Every structure is written in C-alpha cells, then in structure tokens.
Amino acid sequence: QQQVKQSPQSLIVQKGGISIINCAYENTAFDYFPWYQQFPGKGPALLIAIRPDVSEKKEGRFTISFNKSAKQFSLHIMDSQPGDSATYFCAARGFLKTSGSRLTFGEGTQLTVNP
Amino acid sequence: DTAVSQTPKYLVTQMGNDKSIKCEQNLGHDTMYWYKQDSKKFLKIMFSYNNKELIINETVPNRFSPKSPDKAHLNLHINSLELGDSAVYFCASSQRTISYEQYFGPGTRLTVT
C-alpha cells in the first residue's frame, strides 16, 4: 500500500530529446507527489511536485502528468540536456496514524543525456 | 550558506566499532529525517523528528539511535557496526506542514570493513 513503483530503471536520451519517467502507486490516500533529482555525490533535491487534483504541472522544461484514475504519474523532461543527467526519484506523501506524514520513494531512474 | 550540513562526509571504519554522524539545518524547519540509500540508490526513511520528538521510527536495528538535542540538529549514532550498514546516510529537513518538500544534506558515505 505504501509502495511507489518507478520505471525505467535507466534511460538514455539524446540531447534535445524528451525524457519520460513513469511511476505508479496503490495508496489513494497519498496527497502529494514530488519528484527529486540527485546528482552524483549530492543529496536529492526537490524538482517539482503535484497534488492529485491537478492533471498537469509545468516548470520550465519539466512537466508532471498525473492520472488519478490510473494511479500513475510521470515526469517529462523536454529538450533534455547533458546537464540533466542524474538520478530521478518519484515520491508520494502519505500519512500514518502513528507517525504522521512520510515520503515513500520510487526506486530511481538513472538518466543519461548524450551530447 | 549551507542549508543542511552533515559531518563527516566519508566514514570508513571496522566492524564492531561505534560511530556517529551529525546533522545541522539552518532553514528554521521543525522536522528532520534520516534516510539510508543503499548501493542500488534506494532511499528509505529511518527516523523522523518533529520539534525534538521522535515521530517515525522505521524497522531499523536497535544499534541505530537518533538524538535531537534541538530543532536544528539531528545526530545518528550507530553501535557495533556491521558490513551491511555500509551505505550513504542522508539527513533532511522540512516544515511539517510541507513535508513533501524536503531539503537533503550532502550525505555521509559509511564504509564498514
């Protein structure tokens, strides 16, 4: 119930192409769906987040598409650049009675953008 | 200005030793977390503190003990280190009400030999 499934595990895209990473969840009580970006040797950093009552959110070249009925959401990176090469994590925020809110992360996608 | 800092960045130690990792945040957040990232990069929450109170305590061995002396600090002490403890440990912080927006430290790479 608390799991978030992410695919693909790795993705190679040419510069200027579109990178698409997908995530699926089961728990309908999740209330926020953030994406984090992690460069080698660094901690993850919030990239963009969406609420389940919104179908799409765009920030610059990054767009989240959200399909509530299918319980899926995806990250689209338009005009992918070599500097976008990083590991991307989807996540979902859920609440437990005993411990309040927590983020559950997907398994991560290693994105490589070739010049 | 460093938002979330951790020390040390690298920690190499032998099995059976005890070690500590320190974390500090200067963002004024009320909630702090410890995550473990394994060799496959999977991120798993270990502990969470809100206003110095432990609110998340995942199923981690008792050898791991967090301590929060104040809202800005969260330390992790590990007793009797084992080979399987080798990982990158991340501290993070957030405001409790905006807990999907977490700020991560640079990580501490722990290697147990």
Side-chain angles (χ1 to χ4, degrees), chain B residues 45-100:
Chain B
I45 190 162
M46 300 173 68
F47 302 103
S48 171
Y49 271 77
N50 175 256
N51 286 322
K52 302 197 300 176
E53 180 188 352
L54 180 65
I55 56 172
I56 294 176
N57 185 353
E58 284 296 277
T59 309
V60 299
N62 290 337
R63 300 180 294 102
F64 289 79
S65 54
K67 280 203 172 76
S68 180
D70 56 55
K71 280 189 348 178
H73 296 84
L74 180 62
N75 303 323
L76 183 65
H77 188 75
I78 315 170
N79 290 325
S80 304
L81 278 155
E82 300 178 357
L83 291 176
D85 298 332
S86 295
V88 181
Y89 292 85
F90 286 102
C91 176
S93 72
S94 75
Q95 278 300 117
R96 186 169 190 170
T97 52
I98 323 175
S99 56
Y100 65 89

Side-chain angles (χ1 to χ4, degrees), chain A residues 33-95:
Chain A
F33 298 85
W35 285 88
Y36 281 78
Q37 178 188 55
Q38 184 180 23
F39 292 106
K42 305 289 185 185
L46 178 66
L47 195 59
I48 186 172
I50 197 168
R51 291 185 346 223
D53 57 346
V54 175
S55 61
E56 185 175 282
K57 183 173 181 180
K58 185 175 180 179
E59 287 185 6
R61 295 185 294 108
F62 299 90
T63 300
I64 301 179
S65 296
F66 194 88
N67 186 329
K68 190 173 180 178
S69 60
K71 291 189 278 188
Q72 294 175 348
F73 58 110
S74 59
L75 177 70
H76 296 234
I77 306 174
M78 312 299 287
D79 187 26
S80 299
Q81 299 296 313
D84 297 330
S85 297
T87 301
Y88 292 81
F89 293 93
C90 63
R93 184 176 78 167
F95 286 85

Side-chain angles (χ1 to χ4, degrees), chain A residues 9 32-34 36 38-46 49 87 89 93 95-96 98-103 105-108 110, chain B residues 9 33 35 37 40-45 48 55-58 88 90 95-107 109:
Chain A
Q9 192 173 5
Y32 264 97
F33 298 85
Y36 281 78
Q38 184 180 23
F39 292 106
K42 305 289 185 185
L46 178 66
T87 301
F89 293 93
R93 184 176 78 167
F95 286 85
L96 294 175
T98 53
S99 60
S101 68
R102 68 174 60 200
L103 283 182
F105 285 88
E107 299 93 334
Q110 175 68 54
Chain B
K9 187 161 175 64
Y33 313 81
Y35 286 88
Q37 186 171 50
K40 294 185 178 179
K41 296 209 168 180
F42 186 67
L43 269 169
K44 190 168 190 316
I45 190 162
S48 171
I55 56 172
I56 294 176
N57 185 353
E58 284 296 277
V88 181
F90 286 102
Q95 278 300 117
R96 186 169 190 170
T97 52
I98 323 175
S99 56
Y100 65 89
E101 184 177 339
Q102 296 184 12
Y103 292 78
F104 284 77
R109 181 174 291 278

